[in-house]
Amino acid sequence: MTGRMGRAAAVCAALGVLWWATVRLAWAGVGCEDWGCLIPAVGMVVVISLALFAGAALALERVDVRPGRRVALAAAGALVAFRLAGEALPSWSSQVADAVAAGAAFAGAGIVAAFVTETGVARRWKVTAAVVLVALAPVALALSLARSGL
């Protein structure tokens, strides 16, 4: 199981950095400075993300993390939870830090996805992982509010 999680983390981390770079290029290509281009820009990000997860399913299959589609879908769900929780973190201006953070978030999502889709893992651990993911957003919100003094 550890090897499966490591392979999933490596594939997802590489795809995370690729996603980050592609989205940066897409935003730069749109050159949007006002609200009028927000819908096309966000649409491009959605298309890039969907294409990446379709590719993730294939890449995961190639490194023997099966079923690739289920693992990719679980990773996408974990990424949503990580993204919501990440809103509580302070921002930084370094592009390198952004790329590393994207790779780390995708790698973490790959690990979680490989774990919850593993057939040998007891159902209670899968439910526990799901509860922890769902709890990330409210905990992050509470920490953010506490940090801002509200």
Coordinates of all heavy atoms in Angstrom, one line a residue, residues 25-133:
L25 N -0.1 30.3 -17.3 CA 0.0 30.7 -18.7 C -1.4 31.1 -19.3 O -1.5 32.1 -20.0 CB 0.5 29.6 -19.6 CG 2.0 29.3 -19.4 CD1 2.4 28.0 -20.2 CD2 2.8 30.5 -19.9
A26 N -2.4 30.4 -18.9 CA -3.8 30.8 -19.3 C -4.2 32.1 -18.8 O -4.7 33.0 -19.6 CB -4.8 29.7 -18.9
W27 N -4.0 32.4 -17.5 CA -4.3 33.7 -17.0 C -3.5 34.8 -17.7 O -4.0 35.9 -18.0 CB -4.0 33.8 -15.5 CG -5.2 33.2 -14.7 CD1 -5.2 32.0 -14.1 CD2 -6.4 33.8 -14.4 NE1 -6.4 31.9 -13.4 CE2 -7.2 32.9 -13.6 CE3 -7.0 35.0 -14.8 CZ2 -8.4 33.2 -13.2 CZ3 -8.3 35.3 -14.3 CH2 -9.0 34.4 -13.5
A28 N -2.2 34.6 -17.9 CA -1.4 35.6 -18.6 C -1.9 35.8 -20.1 O -1.9 36.9 -20.6 CB 0.1 35.1 -18.6
G29 N -2.3 34.7 -20.7 CA -2.8 34.8 -22.1 C -4.1 35.6 -22.2 O -4.3 36.3 -23.1
V30 N -4.9 35.5 -21.2 CA -6.2 36.2 -21.2 C -5.9 37.7 -21.0 O -6.5 38.6 -21.6 CB -7.2 35.7 -20.1 CG1 -8.3 36.6 -19.9 CG2 -7.6 34.3 -20.5
G31 N -4.9 38.0 -20.1 CA -4.5 39.4 -19.9 C -5.6 40.2 -19.3 O -5.8 41.4 -19.7
C32 N -6.3 39.6 -18.4 CA -7.6 40.2 -17.8 C -7.2 41.2 -16.7 O -6.6 40.9 -15.8 CB -8.4 39.1 -17.3 SG -9.9 39.5 -16.4
E33 N -7.7 42.4 -16.9 CA -7.6 43.4 -15.8 C -8.9 43.9 -15.3 O -8.9 44.7 -14.4 CB -6.8 44.6 -16.4 CG -5.4 44.3 -16.8 CD -4.5 43.9 -15.6 OE1 -4.7 44.3 -14.5 OE2 -3.6 43.0 -15.9
D34 N -10.0 43.4 -15.8 CA -11.3 43.8 -15.3 C -12.2 42.6 -15.2 O -11.9 41.5 -15.5 CB -12.0 44.9 -16.2 CG -12.2 44.4 -17.6 OD1 -12.0 43.2 -17.9 OD2 -12.7 45.2 -18.4
W35 N -13.4 42.8 -14.7 CA -14.4 41.7 -14.4 C -15.0 41.1 -15.7 O -15.5 40.0 -15.6 CB -15.5 42.2 -13.5 CG -15.0 42.5 -12.1 CD1 -14.7 43.7 -11.6 CD2 -14.8 41.5 -11.1 NE1 -14.3 43.6 -10.3 CE2 -14.3 42.2 -10.0 CE3 -14.9 40.2 -11.0 CZ2 -14.0 41.6 -8.8 CZ3 -14.6 39.5 -9.8 CH2 -14.2 40.3 -8.7
G36 N -14.9 41.8 -16.8 CA -15.5 41.4 -18.0 C -14.9 40.1 -18.5 O -15.6 39.3 -19.2
C37 N -13.7 39.8 -18.2 CA -13.1 38.6 -18.7 C -13.0 37.5 -17.7 O -12.4 36.4 -17.9 CB -11.7 38.8 -19.3 SG -10.6 39.4 -18.1
L38 N -13.6 37.6 -16.6 CA -13.6 36.7 -15.5 C -14.2 35.3 -15.9 O -13.6 34.3 -15.7 CB -14.3 37.2 -14.2 CG -14.1 36.3 -13.0 CD1 -12.7 36.1 -12.6 CD2 -14.9 36.9 -11.9
I39 N -15.3 35.4 -16.6 CA -16.0 34.1 -17.0 C -15.2 33.3 -17.9 O -15.0 32.1 -17.7 CB -17.4 34.4 -17.5 CG1 -18.3 34.9 -16.3 CG2 -18.0 33.2 -18.1 CD1 -19.7 35.4 -16.7
P40 N -14.6 33.9 -19.0 CA -13.8 33.1 -19.9 C -12.5 32.6 -19.2 O -12.1 31.5 -19.4 CB -13.4 34.0 -21.0 CG -14.3 35.2 -20.9 CD -14.9 35.2 -19.5
A41 N -11.9 33.4 -18.3 CA -10.7 33.0 -17.6 C -11.0 31.8 -16.7 O -10.3 30.8 -16.7 CB -10.1 34.2 -16.9
V42 N -12.1 31.9 -15.9 CA -12.4 30.8 -15.0 C -12.8 29.6 -15.8 O -12.5 28.4 -15.5 CB -13.5 31.2 -14.0 CG1 -14.1 30.0 -13.3 CG2 -13.0 32.3 -13.1
G43 N -13.5 29.8 -16.9 CA -13.8 28.7 -17.8 C -12.6 27.9 -18.3 O -12.6 26.7 -18.4
M44 N -11.6 28.7 -18.7 CA -10.3 28.0 -19.1 C -9.7 27.2 -18.0 O -9.2 26.1 -18.2 CB -9.3 29.1 -19.6 CG -9.5 29.5 -21.0 SD -8.2 30.4 -21.7 CE -7.7 31.6 -20.5
V45 N -9.8 27.7 -16.7 CA -9.2 27.0 -15.6 C -10.0 25.7 -15.4 O -9.4 24.7 -15.1 CB -9.2 27.9 -14.3 CG1 -8.9 27.1 -13.1 CG2 -8.3 29.1 -14.5
V46 N -11.3 25.8 -15.5 CA -12.1 24.6 -15.4 C -11.8 23.6 -16.5 O -11.6 22.4 -16.2 CB -13.6 24.9 -15.4 CG1 -14.5 23.7 -15.5 CG2 -14.0 25.7 -14.2
V47 N -11.6 24.0 -17.7 CA -11.3 23.1 -18.8 C -9.9 22.5 -18.6 O -9.7 21.3 -18.7 CB -11.4 23.8 -20.2 CG1 -10.7 23.0 -21.3 CG2 -12.8 24.1 -20.5
I48 N -8.9 23.3 -18.2 CA -7.6 22.8 -17.9 C -7.7 21.7 -16.7 O -7.0 20.7 -16.8 CB -6.7 23.9 -17.5 CG1 -6.4 24.8 -18.7 CG2 -5.4 23.4 -16.9 CD1 -5.7 26.1 -18.4
S49 N -8.4 22.0 -15.7 CA -8.5 21.1 -14.6 C -9.2 19.8 -15.0 O -8.7 18.7 -14.6 CB -9.3 21.8 -13.4 OG -8.7 22.9 -13.0
L50 N -10.2 19.9 -15.8 CA -10.9 18.6 -16.2 C -10.0 17.8 -17.1 O -9.9 16.6 -17.0 CB -12.2 19.0 -16.9 CG -13.3 19.5 -16.0 CD1 -14.5 19.9 -16.9 CD2 -13.7 18.5 -15.0
A51 N -9.3 18.5 -18.0 CA -8.3 17.8 -18.9 C -7.2 17.1 -18.0 O -6.8 16.0 -18.3 CB -7.8 18.7 -19.9
L52 N -6.7 17.8 -17.0 CA -5.7 17.3 -16.2 C -6.2 16.1 -15.4 O -5.4 15.1 -15.3 CB -5.2 18.4 -15.2 CG -4.1 17.9 -14.4 CD1 -2.8 18.5 -14.9 CD2 -4.3 18.2 -12.9
F53 N -7.4 16.1 -14.9 CA -7.8 14.9 -14.2 C -8.1 13.8 -15.1 O -8.0 12.6 -14.7 CB -9.0 15.3 -13.3 CG -8.6 15.9 -12.0 CD1 -8.7 17.2 -11.8 CD2 -7.9 15.1 -11.1 CE1 -8.3 17.8 -10.6 CE2 -7.4 15.7 -9.9 CZ -7.6 17.0 -9.7
A54 N -8.5 14.0 -16.3 CA -8.7 12.9 -17.3 C -7.3 12.3 -17.5 O -7.1 11.1 -17.6 CB -9.3 13.4 -18.6
G55 N -6.3 13.1 -17.7 CA -4.9 12.7 -17.9 C -4.4 12.0 -16.6 O -3.6 11.0 -16.7
A56 N -4.8 12.4 -15.5 CA -4.4 11.8 -14.2 C -4.9 10.4 -14.1 O -4.2 9.5 -13.7 CB -4.9 12.6 -13.0
A57 N -6.1 10.1 -14.6 CA -6.6 8.8 -14.5 C -5.8 7.9 -15.4 O -5.4 6.8 -15.0 CB -8.1 8.8 -15.0
L58 N -5.4 8.3 -16.6 CA -4.5 7.5 -17.4 C -3.1 7.3 -16.8 O -2.5 6.2 -16.8 CB -4.4 8.2 -18.8 CG -5.7 8.3 -19.6 CD1 -5.5 9.1 -20.8 CD2 -6.2 6.9 -19.9
A59 N -2.5 8.4 -16.3 CA -1.2 8.4 -15.7 C -1.2 7.4 -14.5 O -0.2 6.7 -14.3 CB -0.7 9.8 -15.3
L60 N -2.2 7.5 -13.7 CA -2.3 6.6 -12.5 C -2.4 5.2 -12.9 O -1.7 4.3 -12.3 CB -3.4 7.0 -11.6 CG -3.2 8.4 -10.9 CD1 -4.6 8.9 -10.3 CD2 -2.2 8.2 -9.8
E61 N -3.1 4.9 -13.9 CA -3.2 3.5 -14.4 C -1.8 3.0 -14.9 O -1.5 1.9 -14.7 CB -4.2 3.4 -15.6 CG -5.7 3.5 -15.2 CD -6.2 2.2 -14.7 OE1 -5.7 1.2 -14.9 OE2 -7.3 2.3 -14.0
R62 N -1.1 3.9 -15.6 CA 0.2 3.5 -16.1 C 1.2 3.2 -15.0 O 2.2 2.4 -15.3 CB 0.8 4.6 -17.0 CG -0.1 4.8 -18.2 CD 0.3 4.9 -19.6 NE 1.6 5.0 -20.0 CZ 2.2 4.0 -20.8 NH1 1.5 2.9 -21.0 NH2 3.4 4.2 -21.2
V63 N 1.1 3.7 -13.8 CA 2.0 3.4 -12.7 C 1.4 2.5 -11.7 O 1.8 2.4 -10.6 CB 2.5 4.7 -12.0 CG1 3.3 5.6 -12.9 CG2 1.3 5.5 -11.4
D64 N 0.4 1.7 -12.2 CA -0.3 0.7 -11.4 C -1.0 1.2 -10.2 O -1.0 0.5 -9.1 CB 0.7 -0.4 -11.0 CG 1.2 -1.2 -12.2 OD1 0.4 -1.4 -13.2 OD2 2.3 -1.7 -12.2
V65 N -1.6 2.3 -10.2 CA -2.5 2.8 -9.2 C -3.9 2.7 -9.8 O -4.3 3.6 -10.5 CB -2.1 4.3 -8.8 CG1 -3.1 4.7 -7.7 CG2 -0.7 4.4 -8.3
R66 N -4.5 1.6 -9.5 CA -5.8 1.3 -10.1 C -6.9 1.2 -9.1 O -6.6 0.9 -8.0 CB -5.7 -0.1 -10.9 CG -4.8 0.0 -12.1 CD -4.8 -1.2 -12.9 NE -4.1 -1.1 -14.1 CZ -2.8 -1.4 -14.2 NH1 -2.2 -2.0 -13.2 NH2 -2.2 -1.2 -15.4
P67 N -8.1 1.5 -9.4 CA -8.6 2.0 -10.7 C -8.3 3.5 -10.8 O -8.6 4.3 -9.9 CB -10.1 1.8 -10.6 CG -10.4 1.8 -9.2 CD -9.2 1.3 -8.5
G68 N -7.7 3.9 -11.9 CA -7.2 5.3 -12.1 C -8.3 6.3 -12.1 O -8.1 7.4 -11.5
R69 N -9.5 6.0 -12.6 CA -10.6 7.0 -12.6 C -11.0 7.2 -11.2 O -11.3 8.4 -10.9 CB -11.7 6.5 -13.5 CG -11.6 6.9 -14.9 CD -12.8 6.5 -15.7 NE -12.6 5.2 -16.2 CZ -13.4 4.3 -16.6 NH1 -14.7 4.6 -16.6 NH2 -13.1 3.1 -17.1
R70 N -11.2 6.2 -10.4 CA -11.7 6.4 -9.1 C -10.6 7.1 -8.2 O -11.0 8.0 -7.4 CB -12.0 5.0 -8.4 CG -13.4 4.9 -8.1 CD -13.8 3.6 -7.5 NE -13.0 3.3 -6.3 CZ -13.0 2.1 -5.7 NH1 -13.7 1.2 -6.2 NH2 -12.2 1.9 -4.7
V71 N -9.4 6.8 -8.4 CA -8.3 7.5 -7.7 C -8.3 9.0 -8.1 O -8.2 9.9 -7.2 CB -7.0 6.8 -7.9 CG1 -5.9 7.6 -7.2 CG2 -7.0 5.4 -7.4
A72 N -8.4 9.3 -9.4 CA -8.4 10.7 -9.8 C -9.6 11.4 -9.3 O -9.5 12.6 -8.9 CB -8.4 10.7 -11.3
L73 N -10.8 10.8 -9.2 CA -12.0 11.5 -8.7 C -11.8 11.7 -7.2 O -12.2 12.8 -6.7 CB -13.2 10.6 -9.0 CG -13.7 10.7 -10.4 CD1 -14.9 9.7 -10.6 CD2 -14.2 12.1 -10.7
A74 N -11.2 10.7 -6.5 CA -11.0 10.9 -5.0 C -10.0 12.0 -4.8 O -10.1 12.8 -3.9 CB -10.6 9.6 -4.4
A75 N -9.0 12.1 -5.6 CA -8.0 13.1 -5.5 C -8.6 14.5 -5.8 O -8.3 15.5 -5.1 CB -6.8 12.9 -6.5
A76 N -9.5 14.6 -6.8 CA -10.2 15.9 -7.0 C -11.0 16.3 -5.8 O -11.0 17.5 -5.5 CB -11.1 15.7 -8.3
G77 N -11.7 15.4 -5.2 CA -12.4 15.7 -4.0 C -11.5 16.2 -2.9 O -11.8 17.2 -2.2
A78 N -10.4 15.5 -2.7 CA -9.5 15.9 -1.6 C -8.9 17.3 -2.0 O -8.7 18.1 -1.1 CB -8.4 14.9 -1.5
L79 N -8.6 17.6 -3.2 CA -8.1 18.9 -3.6 C -9.1 20.0 -3.3 O -8.7 21.1 -2.9 CB -7.7 18.9 -5.1 CG -6.3 18.4 -5.4 CD1 -6.1 18.2 -6.9 CD2 -5.3 19.3 -4.8
V80 N -10.4 19.7 -3.5 CA -11.4 20.8 -3.2 C -11.3 21.1 -1.7 O -11.3 22.2 -1.3 CB -12.8 20.3 -3.6 CG1 -13.9 21.2 -3.0 CG2 -12.9 20.2 -5.1
A81 N -11.2 20.0 -0.9 CA -11.1 20.3 0.6 C -9.8 21.0 0.9 O -9.8 21.9 1.8 CB -11.2 18.9 1.3
F82 N -8.7 20.6 0.3 CA -7.4 21.3 0.6 C -7.5 22.7 0.1 O -6.9 23.6 0.8 CB -6.3 20.6 -0.1 CG -5.9 19.2 0.4 CD1 -5.2 18.3 -0.3 CD2 -6.4 18.8 1.6 CE1 -4.8 17.1 0.2 CE2 -6.1 17.5 2.1 CZ -5.3 16.7 1.4
R83 N -8.1 23.0 -1.0 CA -8.2 24.4 -1.5 C -9.0 25.2 -0.6 O -8.6 26.4 -0.3 CB -8.8 24.4 -2.9 CG -9.0 25.7 -3.5 CD -7.7 26.4 -3.8 NE -7.8 27.7 -4.3 CZ -7.3 28.8 -3.7 NH1 -6.6 28.7 -2.7 NH2 -7.5 30.0 -4.3
L84 N -10.1 24.7 -0.1 CA -10.9 25.5 0.9 C -10.2 25.8 2.1 O -10.2 26.9 2.7 CB -12.3 24.8 1.2 CG -13.3 24.7 0.0 CD1 -14.4 23.8 0.4 CD2 -13.7 26.1 -0.4
A85 N -9.5 24.7 2.6 CA -8.7 24.9 3.8 C -7.5 25.9 3.6 O -7.1 26.6 4.5 CB -8.2 23.6 4.3
G86 N -7.0 25.8 2.4 CA -5.8 26.7 2.1 C -6.1 28.2 2.1 O -5.2 29.0 2.1
E87 N -7.4 28.5 2.0 CA -7.8 29.9 2.0 C -7.4 30.6 3.4 O -7.3 31.8 3.5 CB -9.3 30.1 1.8 CG -9.7 29.8 0.4 CD -9.1 30.8 -0.6 OE1 -9.0 32.0 -0.3 OE2 -8.6 30.4 -1.7
A88 N -7.3 29.8 4.4 CA -6.9 30.3 5.7 C -5.5 30.6 5.9 O -5.0 31.2 6.8 CB -7.4 29.3 6.8
L89 N -4.7 30.1 4.9 CA -3.2 30.3 5.0 C -2.9 31.7 4.5 O -3.5 32.2 3.6 CB -2.5 29.2 4.2 CG -2.7 27.8 4.6 CD1 -2.0 26.8 3.6 CD2 -2.1 27.6 6.0
P90 N -1.8 32.2 5.0 CA -1.4 33.5 4.5 C -0.8 33.4 3.1 O -0.3 32.3 2.7 CB -0.2 33.9 5.5 CG 0.1 32.8 6.3 CD -1.0 31.8 6.2
S91 N -1.0 34.4 2.3 CA -0.5 34.4 0.9 C 0.9 34.8 0.8 O 1.4 35.5 1.7 CB -1.4 35.2 0.0 OG -1.4 36.5 0.4
W92 N 1.5 34.5 -0.3 CA 2.9 34.9 -0.5 C 3.0 35.3 -2.0 O 2.2 34.9 -2.8 CB 3.9 33.8 -0.1 CG 3.6 32.5 -0.7 CD1 3.7 32.1 -2.0 CD2 3.0 31.4 0.0 NE1 3.2 30.8 -2.2 CE2 2.8 30.3 -0.9 CE3 2.6 31.2 1.3 CZ2 2.2 29.1 -0.6 CZ3 2.1 29.9 1.6 CH2 1.9 28.9 0.7
S93 N 4.1 36.0 -2.3 CA 4.2 36.5 -3.6 C 5.2 35.7 -4.5 O 5.4 35.9 -5.7 CB 4.7 38.0 -3.6 OG 5.9 38.1 -2.9
S94 N 5.8 34.7 -3.9 CA 6.8 33.9 -4.6 C 6.2 32.9 -5.5 O 5.3 32.1 -5.1 CB 7.7 33.2 -3.6 OG 8.5 32.2 -4.3
Q95 N 6.5 32.9 -6.8 CA 6.0 31.9 -7.8 C 6.5 30.5 -7.5 O 5.8 29.6 -7.7 CB 6.3 32.4 -9.2 CG 5.6 33.6 -9.6 CD 5.9 33.9 -11.1 OE1 6.6 33.2 -11.8 NE2 5.4 35.0 -11.5
V96 N 7.7 30.5 -7.0 CA 8.3 29.1 -6.6 C 7.5 28.5 -5.5 O 7.2 27.4 -5.5 CB 9.8 29.3 -6.3 CG1 10.4 28.0 -5.7 CG2 10.6 29.8 -7.4
A97 N 7.2 29.4 -4.5 CA 6.4 28.9 -3.4 C 5.0 28.4 -3.8 O 4.5 27.4 -3.4 CB 6.3 29.9 -2.3
D98 N 4.4 29.1 -4.8 CA 3.1 28.8 -5.3 C 3.2 27.4 -6.0 O 2.3 26.6 -5.9 CB 2.6 29.8 -6.3 CG 2.0 31.0 -5.7 OD1 1.5 30.9 -4.5 OD2 1.8 32.0 -6.3
A99 N 4.2 27.2 -6.8 CA 4.4 25.9 -7.5 C 4.6 24.8 -6.6 O 4.1 23.7 -6.7 CB 5.6 26.0 -8.5
V100 N 5.5 25.0 -5.6 CA 5.7 24.0 -4.5 C 4.4 23.7 -3.8 O 4.1 22.5 -3.5 CB 6.8 24.4 -3.6 CG1 6.9 23.5 -2.4 CG2 8.2 24.5 -4.3
A101 N 3.6 24.7 -3.4 CA 2.4 24.5 -2.7 C 1.4 23.7 -3.6 O 0.7 22.8 -3.1 CB 1.8 25.8 -2.3
A102 N 1.3 24.0 -4.9 CA 0.4 23.3 -5.8 C 0.9 21.8 -5.9 O 0.1 20.9 -5.8 CB 0.4 23.9 -7.2
G103 N 2.2 21.6 -6.0 CA 2.7 20.2 -6.1 C 2.4 19.5 -4.8 O 2.0 18.3 -4.8
A104 N 2.6 20.1 -3.6 CA 2.4 19.5 -2.3 C 0.9 19.2 -2.1 O 0.5 18.1 -1.6 CB 2.9 20.4 -1.2
A105 N 0.0 20.1 -2.5 CA -1.4 19.9 -2.4 C -1.9 18.7 -3.2 O -2.6 17.8 -2.8 CB -2.2 21.1 -2.7
F106 N -1.4 18.7 -4.5 CA -1.8 17.6 -5.4 C -1.2 16.2 -4.9 O -1.9 15.2 -4.9 CB -1.3 17.8 -6.8 CG -2.2 18.7 -7.6 CD1 -2.5 20.0 -7.4 CD2 -2.9 18.1 -8.7 CE1 -3.3 20.7 -8.1 CE2 -3.8 18.8 -9.5 CZ -4.0 20.1 -9.2
A107 N 0.0 16.3 -4.3 CA 0.6 15.0 -3.8 C -0.2 14.5 -2.6 O -0.4 13.3 -2.5 CB 2.1 15.3 -3.4
G108 N -0.5 15.5 -1.7 CA -1.4 15.1 -0.6 C -2.7 14.5 -1.0 O -3.2 13.5 -0.5
A109 N -3.3 15.1 -2.0 CA -4.5 14.6 -2.5 C -4.4 13.2 -3.1 O -5.2 12.3 -3.0 CB -5.1 15.5 -3.6
G110 N -3.2 13.0 -3.8 CA -2.9 11.6 -4.4 C -2.8 10.6 -3.3 O -3.2 9.5 -3.4
I111 N -2.1 11.0 -2.2 CA -1.9 10.0 -1.1 C -3.3 9.7 -0.5 O -3.6 8.5 -0.2 CB -1.0 10.6 0.0 CG1 0.4 10.7 -0.5 CG2 -1.1 9.9 1.3 CD1 1.4 11.5 0.3
V112 N -4.1 10.7 -0.2 CA -5.4 10.4 0.4 C -6.3 9.6 -0.6 O -6.9 8.6 -0.2 CB -6.2 11.8 0.7 CG1 -7.6 11.6 1.0 CG2 -5.5 12.5 1.8
A113 N -6.2 9.9 -1.9 CA -7.0 9.1 -2.9 C -6.6 7.7 -2.9 O -7.4 6.8 -3.0 CB -6.9 9.8 -4.2
A114 N -5.2 7.5 -2.9 CA -4.7 6.1 -3.0 C -5.1 5.3 -1.7 O -5.5 4.1 -1.8 CB -3.2 6.1 -3.2
F115 N -5.2 6.0 -0.6 CA -5.5 5.4 0.7 C -7.0 5.0 0.7 O -7.4 3.8 1.0 CB -5.2 6.3 1.8 CG -5.6 5.7 3.2 CD1 -4.9 4.8 3.8 CD2 -6.8 6.2 3.8 CE1 -5.2 4.3 5.0 CE2 -7.2 5.7 5.0 CZ -6.4 4.7 5.6
V116 N -7.9 5.9 0.3 CA -9.3 5.6 0.4 C -9.8 4.7 -0.7 O -10.9 4.1 -0.6 CB -10.2 6.9 0.5 CG1 -9.8 7.8 1.7 CG2 -10.1 7.7 -0.8
T117 N -9.1 4.5 -1.8 CA -9.5 3.6 -2.8 C -8.8 2.2 -2.7 O -9.1 1.4 -3.5 CB -9.2 4.2 -4.2 OG1 -7.8 4.5 -4.3 CG2 -10.0 5.4 -4.4
E118 N -7.9 2.1 -1.7 CA -7.2 0.8 -1.5 C -8.3 -0.2 -1.0 O -9.0 0.0 -0.1 CB -6.1 1.0 -0.5 CG -5.4 -0.3 -0.1 CD -4.6 -0.9 -1.3 OE1 -4.0 -0.1 -2.1 OE2 -4.6 -2.1 -1.4
T119 N -8.3 -1.4 -1.6 CA -9.3 -2.4 -1.2 C -9.0 -3.0 0.2 O -9.9 -3.4 0.9 CB -9.3 -3.6 -2.2 OG1 -8.0 -4.1 -2.4 CG2 -9.8 -3.1 -3.6
G120 N -7.8 -3.0 0.6 CA -7.4 -3.6 1.9 C -7.7 -2.7 3.1 O -7.5 -3.1 4.3
V121 N -8.0 -1.5 2.9 CA -8.2 -0.5 4.0 C -9.7 -0.7 4.5 O -10.6 -0.7 3.8 CB -8.0 0.9 3.5 CG1 -8.4 2.0 4.6 CG2 -6.6 1.1 3.1
A122 N -9.7 -0.8 5.9 CA -11.0 -0.9 6.5 C -11.9 0.3 6.3 O -11.5 1.4 6.2 CB -10.9 -1.1 8.0
R123 N -13.2 0.0 6.2 CA -14.2 1.0 5.9 C -14.2 2.2 6.9 O -14.3 3.3 6.6 CB -15.6 0.4 5.8 CG -16.7 1.4 5.4 CD -18.0 0.7 5.2 NE -19.1 1.5 4.9 CZ -19.3 1.9 3.6 NH1 -18.6 1.4 2.6 NH2 -20.3 2.7 3.4
R124 N -13.9 1.9 8.2 CA -13.9 2.9 9.2 C -12.8 3.9 9.0 O -12.9 5.1 9.2 CB -13.8 2.3 10.6 CG -12.4 1.7 10.9 CD -12.3 1.2 12.3 NE -11.0 0.6 12.5 CZ -10.8 -0.7 12.5 NH1 -11.7 -1.5 12.4 NH2 -9.6 -1.1 12.7
W125 N -11.6 3.5 8.4 CA -10.5 4.4 8.1 C -10.9 5.3 6.9 O -10.5 6.4 6.8 CB -9.2 3.6 7.8 CG -8.7 3.0 9.1 CD1 -8.6 1.7 9.4 CD2 -8.3 3.7 10.3 NE1 -8.2 1.5 10.7 CE2 -7.9 2.8 11.2 CE3 -8.2 5.1 10.6 CZ2 -7.4 3.1 12.5 CZ3 -7.7 5.4 11.8 CH2 -7.3 4.5 12.8
K126 N -11.6 4.7 5.9 CA -12.1 5.5 4.8 C -13.1 6.6 5.2 O -13.0 7.7 4.8 CB -12.7 4.6 3.7 CG -11.7 3.6 3.1 CD -12.3 2.7 2.1 CE -11.3 1.8 1.5 NZ -11.9 0.9 0.4
V127 N -14.0 6.2 6.1 CA -14.9 7.2 6.6 C -14.2 8.2 7.5 O -14.5 9.4 7.4 CB -16.0 6.4 7.5 CG1 -16.9 7.4 8.2 CG2 -16.9 5.5 6.6
T128 N -13.2 7.8 8.3 CA -12.5 8.8 9.1 C -11.8 9.8 8.1 O -11.8 11.0 8.4 CB -11.4 8.0 9.9 OG1 -12.1 7.1 10.8 CG2 -10.6 9.0 10.8
A129 N -11.2 9.3 7.1 CA -10.5 10.2 6.1 C -11.5 11.2 5.5 O -11.2 12.3 5.4 CB -9.8 9.4 5.0
A130 N -12.7 10.7 5.1 CA -13.7 11.6 4.6 C -14.1 12.6 5.6 O -14.3 13.8 5.2 CB -14.9 10.7 4.1
V131 N -14.3 12.2 6.8 CA -14.7 13.2 7.8 C -13.7 14.2 8.1 O -14.0 15.4 8.2 CB -15.1 12.4 9.2 CG1 -15.3 13.4 10.3 CG2 -16.4 11.6 9.0
V132 N -12.4 13.8 8.1 CA -11.3 14.8 8.3 C -11.3 15.8 7.1 O -11.1 17.0 7.3 CB -10.0 14.0 8.4 CG1 -8.8 15.0 8.3 CG2 -9.9 13.3 9.7
L133 N -11.5 15.3 5.9 CA -11.5 16.2 4.7 C -12.6 17.2 4.8 O -12.4 18.4 4.5 CB -11.6 15.4 3.4 CG -10.3 14.7 3.0 CD1 -10.6 13.8 1.7 CD2 -9.2 15.7 2.7

